[in-house]
């Protein structure tokens, strides 16, 4: 007989069960596995950079729920890459997009017409008109930027368009902060506090709404003893970066660097591609490089890229 009924005495008197038996039920010999959310087993959603080579550099793209900084000197390709990200965000997730609209914040609306004109020349994904899914605002100061971000919560929760807003682009964060603070101790403390407030709000929106935040940043020249390299202990801590033959560092210093999750650096340099024939002028080409300075999901790496009329594209160089 495999099963026996419990005796009435054992049911009425739990103390009749030996202590060793009760301990064996209370503390199983093999601990049960802890259930985990299914979401943790799925690939983390990312926003494609619009080019498979560039996206591969970041293991699929920019992670959702984080802040990515794109830094570089003027004409390095920062704004052009941001326009490509805006187009990518329109794509459905299975094609590397967010299926979403974008919020573009500029220091002034004056350059917006030229930016949007460049955007209209890029190939539109899935025959969608990108201008119908871009919200544009200007922030003249850090305080104004904070006000816009709080107002943007309504765009995340209920967008006027058919697609929700899931991409925020601030072009550029340095221009918004540049004219607001002087170079004295009191203003530097105020600026650092504002860095943390702006970053905290952007990170909260990214996590809460499943969004991607992209900010562009300018660079400053680094000279003399301020050069730290990888192991220094000064204001420009981090790897030495080069652009146009100059040693540079992203603007706004170490305090801002601690506010972002990923830093992408775009550099450019002129190289002699071929010598002129019979004393003619040499042919010079612009070499552009995208470098992942730091990121939570990929190691430091880089690749060359080109800017064409139809977008930004990485190059696979022959080895």
């Amino acid at each position: 007989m495999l099963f026996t009924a419990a005796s009435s005495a054992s049911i009425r008197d739990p103390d009749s069960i030996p202590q060793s038996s009760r301990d064996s039920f209370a503390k199983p010999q093999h601990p049960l596995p802890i259930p985990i959310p299914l979401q943790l087993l799925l690939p983390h959603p990312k926003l494609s950079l619009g080019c498979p080579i560039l996206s591969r550099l970041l293991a699929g793209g920019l992670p959702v729920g984080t802040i990515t900084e794109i830094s570089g000197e003027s004409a390095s390709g920062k704004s052009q890459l941001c326009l490509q990200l805006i187009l990518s965000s329109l794509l459905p997730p299975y094609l590397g997009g967010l299926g979403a609209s974008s919020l573009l914040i500029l220091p002034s609306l004056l350059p917006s017409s030229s930016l949007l004109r460049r955007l209209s020349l890029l190939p539109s994904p899935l025959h969608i008109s990108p201008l119908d899914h871009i919200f544009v605002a200007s922030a003249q100061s850090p305080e104004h930027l904070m006000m816009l971000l709080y107002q943007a919560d309504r765009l995340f929760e209920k967008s006027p368009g058919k697609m929700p807003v899931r991409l925020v682009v601030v072009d550029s964060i340095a221009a918004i902060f540049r004219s607001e603070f002087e170079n004295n101790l009191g203003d530097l403390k105020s600026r650092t506090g504002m860095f943390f407030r702006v970053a905290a709000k952007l990170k909260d929106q990214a996590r809460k709404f499943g969004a991607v935040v992209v900010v562009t940043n300018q660079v400053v020249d680094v000279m003399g003893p301020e050069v730290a390299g990888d192991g220094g202990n000064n204001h420009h801590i981090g790897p030495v970066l080069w652009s146009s033959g100059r040693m540079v560092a992203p603007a706004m210093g170490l305090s801002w660097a601690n506010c972002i999750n990923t830093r992408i650096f775009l550099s450019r340099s002129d190289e002699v591609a071929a010598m002129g024939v019979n004393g003619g002028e040499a042919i010079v080409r612009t070499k552009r490089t995208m470098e992942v300075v730091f990121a939570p999901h990929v190691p430091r790496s880089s690749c060359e890229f080109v800017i064409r009329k139809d977008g930004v594209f990485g190059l696979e160089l022959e080895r």
Side-chain angles (χ1 to χ4, degrees):
M1 187 174 183
L2 296 177
F3 299 97
T4 58
S7 66
S8 58
S10 63
I11 295 176
R12 287 193 303 267
D13 186 8
D15 292 335
S16 62
I17 302 177
Q19 183 64 39
S20 59
S21 299
R22 280 185 285 172
D23 290 343
S24 65
F25 283 107
K27 300 178 181 179
Q29 296 179 354
H30 302 286
L32 298 175
I34 300 174
I36 60 175
L38 178 61
Q39 183 67 29
L40 296 180
L41 300 178
L42 301 177
H44 190 77
K46 298 182 180 70
L47 172 61
S48 168
L49 276 72
C51 165
I53 297 175
L54 299 180
S55 294
R56 189 167 64 237
L57 193 68
L58 285 146
L62 307 184
V64 169
T66 64
I67 300 179
T68 298
E69 178 200 83
I70 302 174
S71 61
E73 66 174 314
S74 178
S76 60
K78 302 186 298 294
S79 296
Q80 191 75 14
L81 182 57
C82 287
L83 296 181
Q84 189 155 299
L85 289 169
I86 289 174
L87 289 179
S88 293
S89 70
L90 296 172
L91 295 171
Y94 68 88
L95 292 178
L98 302 173
S101 301
S102 305
L103 171 61
L104 175 60
I105 300 177
L106 305 166
S108 168
L109 289 181
L110 291 178
S112 63
S113 57
S114 115
L115 277 175
L116 298 180
R117 195 179 308 115
R118 285 157 61 188
L119 181 62
S120 65
L121 297 176
L122 296 175
S124 179
L126 303 179
H127 305 289
I128 297 174
S129 175
L131 301 186
D132 294 337
H133 302 282
I134 302 173
F135 299 89
V136 183
S138 70
Q140 288 85 26
S141 66
E143 290 78 10
H144 191 194
L145 174 60
M146 284 296 300
M147 183 185 71
L148 287 174
L149 294 178
Y150 277 101
Q151 292 177 345
D153 285 343
R154 289 179 290 179
L155 287 178
F156 286 106
E157 294 168 352
K158 190 176 181 180
S159 172
K162 295 181 179 179
M163 293 182 177
V165 171
R166 293 293 180 267
L167 172 64
V168 178
V169 177
V170 182
D171 186 19
S172 83
I173 193 71
I176 295 174
F177 276 87
R178 182 172 50 197
S179 60
E180 188 70 14
F181 299 97
E182 298 292 335
N183 193 21
N184 57 63
L185 184 59
D187 273 16
L188 290 177
K189 289 180 65 177
S190 299
R191 188 184 71 165
T192 300
M194 185 58 74
F195 285 167
F196 294 148
R197 287 175 56 199
V198 168
K201 182 59 180 175
L202 288 171
K203 286 181 180 179
D204 178 67
Q205 290 175 327
R207 288 191 295 261
K208 183 178 179 180
F209 301 107
V212 174
V213 175
V214 177
V215 298
T216 67
N217 194 4
Q218 300 165 2
V219 295
V220 295
D221 290 335
V222 179
M223 292 180 283
E226 290 187 340
V227 177
D230 291 322
N233 292 307
N234 57 39
H235 186 66
H236 296 293
I237 291 177
V240 172
L241 304 174
W242 293 83
S243 187
S244 296
R246 309 189 327 269
M247 217 173 299
V248 297
M252 307 204 303
L254 183 60
S255 297
W256 173 252
N258 289 325
C259 294
I260 58 178
N261 303 108
T262 300
R263 168 166 282 168
I264 297 172
F265 175 65
L266 306 183
S267 63
R268 51 174 293 167
S269 60
D270 293 332
E271 294 184 344
V272 176
M275 298 301 297
V277 180
N278 297 328
E281 293 185 0
I283 299 175
V284 179
R285 79 174 186 99
T286 299
K287 175 185 175 182
R288 301 179 185 272
T289 303
M290 175 183 292
E291 180 177 352
V292 180
V293 181
F294 60 79
H297 63 300
V298 293
R300 186 181 178 190
S301 55
S302 64
C303 75
E304 288 189 32
F305 71 96
V306 294
I307 300 177
R308 307 195 311 236
K309 290 184 178 180
D310 54 342
V312 181
F313 300 95
L315 299 176
E316 285 190 310
L317 302 180
E318 297 181 1
R319 296 186 178 181

